Amino acid sequence: DVVLTQVPSSSPVALGQPASISCRSSQSLLHSDGTTYLSWLQQRPGQPPRLLIHKVSNRFYGVPDRFSGSGAGTDFTLEISRVEMEDLAIYYCMQATHIPITFGQGTRLDIK
Amino acid sequence: VQLMQSGADVRKPGASVKVSCRTSGYSFTAYFIQWVRQAPGQGFEWIGWTNPKTGDTRYADQFQGRVIMTRDTSVDTAYMELTSLRHDDTAIYYCASDPFDYWGQGTLVTVSS
């Protein structure tokens, strides 16, 4: 199975400051069809996950442009340009290139 | 787009549970339905998917033989049945339309004797 390792596990940030989360895969996430199926999910307390980014860098509808995704192969990053209060949540990377679909262990974003 | 799941359930070890996922706002047969679960305070575990158009399914190895995914296109609803329940099956079960763009609200399944 593909193992996704997120760094850091917890990230205290000040409001208005940037934040960055890394997701490293145990194998390449480039599919044979040429697409890299790496997504980022946000989960606020008591809520279901919300899709933020799909296929590495594509923001889903309604996601603020302060969120951006980048990377290729085995190394991926989610960046938030200026953290707002509503961004305090747990963030997960997820890959759907290989079966079984797997998730990172999560990164908790909280206030410094 | 909405995915509305059935309510919380409590089952005894060895029993089965069937979670429903009623969809609306899009063409049910156009997108796979994915199922994942999240144990209390933990991350996510993929269970499998069902193709609402054909009924085809794909299950994660650890659930093979214990999970059955079905759908009813007349009511735009997908179902996930988990059998031979164990204490460690206690989790919130989610359905999501592929590619995980819309999610149900989750169904807490508690396995307790």
Side-chain angles (χ1 to χ4, degrees), chain A residues 39 41 43 47-51 60-61 92 94 96 99-101 103 105, chain B residues 34 36 38 42-46 49 58 94 99-105:
Chain A
S39 300
L41 307 172
Q43 188 177 36
Q47 294 189 15
R50 169 196 180 196
L51 179 66
F60 187 54
Y61 302 121
Y92 297 90
M94 181 199 80
I99 294 296
I101 293 170
F103 299 79
Q105 83 279 14
Chain B
Q34 302 274 3
V36 302
Q38 185 175 34
Q42 302 299 311
F44 295 98
E45 183 176 26
W46 179 69
W49 54 250
R58 180 75 183 263
Y94 292 102
F100 295 90
D101 47 2
Y102 295 98
W103 292 66
Q105 81 277 21

Side-chain angles (χ1 to χ4, degrees), chain A residues 1-15:
Chain A
D1 297 0
V2 173
V3 176
L4 299 179
T5 303
Q6 292 182 227
V7 175
S9 296
S10 177
S11 180
V13 294
L15 295 177

Side-chain angles (χ1 to χ4, degrees), chain A residues 13 22 32 34-35 45 59 70-71 74 83 85 89 97 104 112:
Chain A
V13 294
S22 169
S32 57
T35 301
R59 268 190 307 276
S70 62
T74 60
V83 171
M85 185 66 75
T97 296
K112 182 183 292 183

